[in-house]
DNA sequence: ACCTGAACACCGTTCAAGT
DNA sequence: ACCTGAACACCGTTCAAGT
């Protein structure tokens, strides 16, 4: 692992001398290397030294070639890169379907990149792709004749729900029944002081499909409430 | 800073010898010391060594006296401690008012302890106070004759919105107009490619009151949608 | 048994020295 | 000017030695 060449099957002299660099290190390569590490092992595994080793470079070269002045800026780039995945190629004409599609797509991306949620709290969506994403959200409700502030309020409400809900799903996926805290929880509930929690089926399904159904239920509530406030009850 | 006694104003011999320890170090004291640090300087400022210095102890004593085996467990304790602040002394009888009160209270606590949002993504609410908080949430909709799963869905939906919305508020409060990313953003929008974002008033109020109004709007949408699904339209 | 000092294996980043 | 090795000032945690 610490030997970038691996176990040499031939004498040194037979191996071609290392090329200066197969492809010059670029910002894109650095970001593309960091994202899978964060996906698979969490944000904490993304260290400058680890990236350098992975890219067969020296730690400080990561800063030089990615043109970043701190690790935080690398995180900014990672957040914006993933924001691009949230963009829909096309927006359904109906505002409700448009918001629903955006929310579902966003959720899928968040479940693929759990660290995004951790970062977005401190790294606002001000990069190029994050800006495009926000523009697309406002576009979704563009045909309703609402004032800009109201459109922003709708975007923030839906996005808040999606991000918060993704956190819950990730939480539940991460906490195995064997975790100590889960056992403690069960003992607490068995005390009888938590009748509502006790009423929950301990064997309720926690499949991805079940989580998605749960998510859609809340999303429908929110969209229905928005609809009720912008479309005065007909009849 | 590294000298726990400060600049001595008297010769050593005049100063009373250090008491063994004013009060024995306990878990509660450690957690109570950690929370204000996180509130004021962020989670990253909470280090074992910093805590030890603050409490006039050695780093490893923090582990011993708080009975924790890792820093993560300290974070677990911090999350649960703050969860207690979210509990309402009394629940309004009307389910909608109950959910609204919980949401507003929760939001106030989150704005006081911004790091809670960062942690809750990986530290599920399985401690004693977190469990009480979840029980209270389920209790809020206990008088409607809903099945347990539906009550859980309502709790998760409201809580998701509250947590996600708090992140947005904290984001906006944190990003000063002088931040480089904000300037970049303005230039992007000036390009004309983002008509919806361009339509937003750049001088719109960003006071805490304005944020709260924004929050309440989305909360009302969500509650209205929930109401519509459990109370079939009368008339 | 409980507590703790020194040491270990890491971090991100500074900075002076290279090219 | 751009790049980088060594060094600095930190981390969380292990572990052996104390009481």
């Amino acid at each position: 692992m610490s030997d970038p060449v691996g176990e040499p099957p031939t004498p040194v002299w037979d191996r071609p001398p290392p090329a200066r660099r197969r492809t010059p290190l670029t910002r894109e390569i650095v970001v593309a290397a960091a994202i899978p590490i964060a996906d698979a092992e969490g944000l904490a595994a993304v260290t400058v030294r680890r990236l350098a080793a992975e890219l067969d470079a020296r730690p400080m070269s990561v800063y030089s070639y990615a043109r970043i002045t701190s690790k935080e800026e690398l995180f900014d780039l990672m957040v914006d890169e993933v924001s691009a995945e949230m963009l829909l190629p096309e927006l359904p004409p109906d505002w409700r379907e448009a918001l629903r599609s955006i929310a579902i797509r966003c959720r899928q991306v968040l479940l693929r990149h759990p660290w995004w949620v951790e970062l977005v709290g401190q790294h606002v969506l001000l990069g190029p792709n994050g800006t495009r994403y926000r523009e697309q959200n406002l576009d979704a409700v563009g045909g309703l004749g609402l004032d800009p502030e109201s459109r922003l309020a709708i975007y923030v409400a839906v996005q808040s729900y999606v991000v918060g809900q993704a956190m819950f799903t990730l939480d539940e996926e991460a906490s195995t029944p064997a975790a100590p805290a889960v056992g403690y929880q069960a003992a607490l509930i068995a005390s009888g002081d938590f009748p509502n929690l006790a009423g929950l089926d301990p064997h309720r399904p926690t499949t991805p499909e079940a989580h998605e159904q749960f998510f859609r239920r809340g999303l429908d509530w929110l969209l229905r409430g928005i609809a009720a406030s912008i479309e005065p009850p007909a009849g």
Side-chain angles (χ1 to χ4, degrees), chain A residues 2-160:
Chain A
S2 66
D3 177 1
V5 187
E7 290 171 35
T10 58
V12 220
W13 306 281
D14 284 349
R15 272 172 276 143
R20 226 17 231 129
R21 188 162 256 304
R22 301 147 304 281
T23 52
L25 209 51
T26 64
R27 170 180 291 182
E28 286 70 28
I29 293 174
V30 172
V31 173
I35 289 175
I37 297 176
D39 289 350
E41 300 172 48
L43 257 194
V46 179
T47 68
V48 175
R49 290 167 142 92
R50 163 79 175 272
L51 276 172
E54 211 111 318
L55 296 167
D56 196 10
R58 259 49 65 202
M60 291 318 292
S61 305
V62 173
Y63 288 87
S64 304
Y65 285 107
R67 292 285 141 81
I68 52 175
T69 62
S70 73
K71 198 186 168 189
E72 286 301 291
E73 290 189 345
L74 172 64
F75 288 159
D76 284 333
L77 294 172
M78 290 168 67
V79 166
D80 201 67
E81 185 67 22
V82 163
S83 301
E85 294 181 39
M86 296 180 186
L87 286 168
L88 289 179
E90 208 163 354
L91 219 47
D94 176 64
W95 70 268
R96 224 157 140 166
E97 278 317 304
L99 285 181
R100 196 194 312 278
S101 302
I102 289 177
I104 290 170
R105 165 75 150 254
C106 178
R107 179 184 149 89
Q108 287 168 342
V109 174
L110 295 184
L111 298 186
R112 271 202 300 271
H113 307 290
W115 48 270
W116 196 93
V117 177
E118 275 176 73
L119 285 182
V120 82
Q122 257 143 1
H123 301 249
V124 219
L125 294 183
L126 297 178
N129 293 318
T131 301
R132 284 184 199 107
Y133 180 70
R134 293 193 296 135
E135 176 74 10
Q136 186 168 68
N137 267 277
L138 297 181
D139 220 28
V141 290
L144 294 169
L146 297 170
D147 60 296
E149 189 79 357
S150 293
R151 291 203 269 157
L152 182 65
I154 292 173
Y155 155 62
V156 170
V158 175
Q159 183 71 9
S160 294

